[in-house]
Amino acid sequence: MAVRKPLVMGNWKLNGSKAFTKELIEGLKKELQGVTGCGVAIAPPVMYLAEAEAALAGSEIALGSQNVDINLQGAFTGDISTAMLKDFGAKYIIIGHSERRTYHKESDEFIAKKFGVLKEAGLVPVLCIGESEAENEAGKTQEVCARQIDAVINALGVEAFNGAVIAYEPIWAIGTGKSATPAQAQAVHKFIRDHIAAKSQAVADQVIIQYGGSVNDANAAELFTQPDIDGALVGGASLKAPAFAVIVKAAAVAKA
Ligand code: PGA
């Protein structure tokens, strides 16, 4: 089986300022000095990509973004293109986050198009999937995850997941302080990997599947003991350098 290097990514959401961006990145650089064995990325608001790019110069921490548009240029007011993200050195691009699916009515098909433009541009899609509390209680977790993955497979083929990242984020765990248990998350991660393996074992073996939803410095280490949890997409706890660094170090140790 392919060895997967874990990836911990911070999703800052709608938080920060120019000063905060510089300060948090300086803190992360200090905390993470000498830490290897875990990829690290941060996705500040796109407004602050310039500050982030400058502050990250010479660091191993990769830059990312929380969204991208499907159009490459032209009359699309308010949107951000793949070329613009590349211009600032962004690499990992979050798409399909449940907050965008909910507040911006983004469909599976629309998100699959975003996946496609990112691959075209040589950027790394971080595809968020996951079920709501009601879907979870109705036993529909696997069905929802399969549907969200299949939208990409149907549009682009399973090979599109080569070099891509999936973030399993049960909606009931996001920002609630109620993380999935390591066993619960592992069961879904294994389902996701098996679902991809049914089309291509090689693609399934290398795809990074992060867990997201109330990951913090206290629960990360146990989550990372699970074989199919390859890192985390972290919201709230990514806004404090010490907590985020504990999560990164936990992944590096667990997957060494
Ligand atoms: P949380 O957010 O860590 O604050 O729960 C995770 C996410 O939405 O990516």
Side-chain angles (χ1 to χ4, degrees), residues 177-188:
K178 193 175 113 188
S179 166
T181 65
Q184 266 176 325
Q186 166 59 24
V188 183

Side-chain angles (χ1 to χ4, degrees), residues 131 136 168-170 172-174 176-186 188-189 211-215 219 222-223 229:
E131 81 288 0
N136 182 278
Y168 168 58
E169 299 204 301
W172 48 269
I174 296 176
T176 57
K178 193 175 113 188
S179 166
T181 65
Q184 266 176 325
Q186 166 59 24
V188 183
H189 282 230
Y211 169 76
S214 296
V215 176
N219 63 19
E222 211 190 330
L223 285 160
I229 300 183

Side-chain angles (χ1 to χ4, degrees), residues 7 31 247:
L7 175 70
E31 298 271 353
I247 298 168

Side-chain angles (χ1 to χ4, degrees), residues 14 44-45 48 53 70 104 117 146 148 154 165 177 213 253:
L14 185 54
Y48 302 122
E53 184 188 26
I70 58 169
H104 298 274
V117 297
Q148 292 175 338
N154 293 340
V165 178
V253 168

Side-chain angles (χ1 to χ4, degrees), residues 11 13 97 99 169 173-176 212-215 233-237:
N11 173 10
K13 306 192 181 181
H97 193 281
E99 286 150 19
E169 299 204 301
I174 296 176
T176 57
S214 296
V215 176
L233 184 57
V234 185

Side-chain angles (χ1 to χ4, degrees), residues 20-229:
F20 175 89
T21 299
K22 281 186 198 148
E23 205 176 303
L24 180 49
I25 290 173
E26 288 314 323
L28 289 174
K29 286 191 339 194
K30 268 199 207 93
E31 298 271 353
L32 293 173
Q33 220 159 31
V35 178
T36 54
C38 180
V40 183
I42 53 167
V46 285
M47 280 304 289
Y48 302 122
L49 286 182
E51 283 76 15
E53 184 188 26
L56 286 173
S59 145
E60 292 289 309
I61 301 169
L63 190 54
S65 129
Q66 303 168 21
N67 188 28
V68 68
D69 190 42
I70 58 169
N71 296 293
L72 301 183
Q73 63 169 40
F76 302 100
T77 302
D79 282 324
I80 308 286
S81 71
T82 49
M84 291 171 187
L85 295 175
K86 281 173 84 167
D87 208 7
F88 288 92
K91 176 176 176 193
Y92 295 97
I93 315 300
I94 299 169
I95 53 172
H97 193 281
S98 65
E99 286 150 19
R100 293 208 61 89
R101 291 179 190 263
T102 303
Y103 305 139
H104 298 274
K105 310 270 181 289
E106 294 192 7
S107 68
D108 292 335
E109 292 67 30
F110 182 62
I111 294 158
K113 280 190 188 150
K114 292 188 176 192
F115 201 113
V117 297
L118 290 173
K119 294 293 287 188
E120 270 304 304
L123 293 167
V124 180
V126 178
L127 174 71
C128 299
I129 63 170
E131 81 288 0
S132 67
E133 186 151 44
E135 288 163 338
N136 182 278
E137 282 165 5
K140 291 191 172 152
T141 298
Q142 296 190 352
E143 182 186 320
V144 171
C145 290
R147 191 197 72 222
Q148 292 175 338
I149 296 268
D150 286 345
V152 173
I153 294 179
N154 293 340
L156 305 167
V158 73
E159 305 291 331
F161 281 101
N162 266 326
V165 178
I166 296 169
Y168 168 58
E169 299 204 301
I171 299 169
W172 48 269
I174 296 176
T176 57
K178 193 175 113 188
S179 166
T181 65
Q184 266 176 325
Q186 166 59 24
V188 183
H189 282 230
K190 182 166 182 345
F191 167 78
I192 294 165
R193 202 178 304 283
D194 288 347
H195 187 75
I196 293 174
K199 293 267 184 330
S200 166
Q201 186 68 51
V203 174
D205 282 346
Q206 60 75 52
V207 73
I208 291 176
I209 309 178
Q210 299 176 314
Y211 169 76
S214 296
V215 176
N216 58 40
D217 47 354
N219 63 19
E222 211 190 330
L223 285 160
F224 297 145
T225 61
Q226 303 299 315
D228 289 294
I229 300 183

